[in-house]
Each structure stands twice: as C-alpha cells, then as structure tokens.
Amino acid sequence: YNQIVRLQEAVKKGLQPMPNLIIIAAGTNDAWFEDKRTLAFSQNADEVFSMDEKPITDRPVNTITSLAASVRYGCEMLMESFPNAQIILLTPLQCTAITLSQILRTGDIIEDCARHMSICVIRQDKTCCVSRTRELRTKRFTTDGTHTNAEGARRNGIFLAKKIASMLQTE
C-alpha cells in the first residue's frame, strides 16, 4: 500500500513518468510473519472477489486484513491510477525461514487473485532457482536461506527478464 501511494504521488508531482509496466513482488511478509498478521490467510481469492460489486478501494485501507484482500486492493489502486499499465505479480521465492507449504499457500492465493483480475503472475515459488530443500543442505543461491547471493540474483534476474518479456502486451 505504502509503495503504491508513493508511486501515485511521484507521478502526480512529475517526479516519475506514468508507468506502462508495474511488477509487484507480493506476499513475502504475509508468509513469513503469519503470527503477526493473524488474519492474512483468513480469506481466499474467491471469497474476496465475491464480497461485493463495487471496488474494494472504496473500503478504508485499515479494514483490509487478508492477503487476498490486500492483493486485490493494491492491484485495484494501481488499475484506477494507471489504467494503461500492465501489472505482473511475483509470488515469493522459496526460503528456509518457513515451510514450503506456507510459501506455496501464499503463491496460490496471489495466483488466484491474479486470475480474478486477468493479471499475469510469475510463480517464483515454483519456477525460480532457489529451492528450500537444496538451500537447507548447502547455501547455493542464497546467503542465508532467504536472501539471494550474487549468483542467485543473477539467475533469478535472467529468468524473470525472459518470463516478463514473454508476457509484455504489445500495442
């Protein structure tokens, strides 16, 4: 939310051009800090998108407590402010800090929200070079099981660049 507001303000003040592509890495803190975000997994995408017909952004932001509602809220904010921008959502990478099932559950919610909004999604948790199982044995692509090292960042960057290039809408 805060990053979206910063982007809106920067564009409004002329500090940044109107974006035509917005890439959002979503859900990492929801997956990692479930004990602090106790309602993060209280709703799935189907529940959030069947709530009502009006935009979710009509609701006060402090009433948005689930990951699914947060993804919908943020994407609708962006679509309202930047209607010509293509949005691509990225799910979190695998890591050793939490279980694979927690990461996959987060990715599933993000992917389901993207489907409801016809937004592209890249499942980093399923397709990128960081593997929780491998990183638990030996840190190959991360420095600490979570943050990519230079090789992990390079490989992931190449993968994402190719994947995003294939998703870009052409005029």
Side-chain angles (χ1 to χ4, degrees):
Y1 174 80
N2 291 329
Q3 296 298 329
I4 295 168
V5 171
R6 285 185 194 131
L7 176 61
Q8 290 170 324
E9 290 298 314
V11 170
K12 185 190 290 184
K13 293 177 181 175
L15 301 172
Q16 178 156 338
M18 183 73 68
N20 57 14
L21 174 65
I22 301 169
I23 302 167
I24 305 168
T28 300
N29 290 336
D30 299 282
W32 288 357
F33 303 111
E34 188 176 353
D35 59 328
K36 294 179 179 33
R37 298 240 11 238
T38 56
L39 297 175
F41 298 100
S42 63
Q43 297 175 300
N44 64 39
D46 291 336
E47 292 167 330
V48 166
F49 284 89
S50 67
M51 290 187 319
D52 53 42
E53 295 296 318
K54 61 184 177 178
I56 197 170
T57 53
D58 288 349
R59 294 174 48 192
V61 70
N62 65 346
T63 66
I64 307 301
T65 56
S66 72
L67 170 62
S70 295
V71 170
R72 179 180 174 191
Y73 196 96
C75 289
E76 285 186 9
M77 281 178 71
L78 290 167
M79 290 186 284
E80 289 168 5
S81 296
F82 312 111
N84 296 320
Q86 180 179 355
I87 299 170
I88 298 176
L89 293 172
L90 308 178
T91 64
L93 290 165
Q94 290 185 28
C95 69
T96 61
I98 59 173
T99 67
L100 181 57
S101 65
Q102 289 171 292
I103 289 288
L104 293 174
R105 175 177 61 167
T106 302
D108 289 344
I109 290 171
I110 293 166
E111 183 175 44
D112 290 344
C113 288
R115 181 179 36 80
H116 277 281
M117 296 179 287
S118 300
I119 292 174
C120 294
V121 64
I122 299 173
R123 290 294 303 256
Q124 292 189 107
D125 55 332
K126 292 184 175 182
T127 57
C128 288
C129 66
V130 177
S131 162
R132 182 180 193 279
T133 304
R134 184 177 48 236
E135 295 297 318
L136 282 169
R137 285 193 309 269
T138 182
K139 304 298 184 269
R140 182 165 174 203
F141 295 118
T142 68
T143 58
D144 56 4
T146 299
H147 302 93
T148 54
N149 60 23
E151 181 61 14
R154 186 185 72 77
R155 283 181 180 231
N156 203 46
I158 291 168
F159 169 78
L160 289 174
K162 288 179 183 176
K163 193 80 167 155
I164 291 167
S166 74
M167 296 174 160
L168 292 177
Q169 296 171 349
T170 55
E171 304 281 323

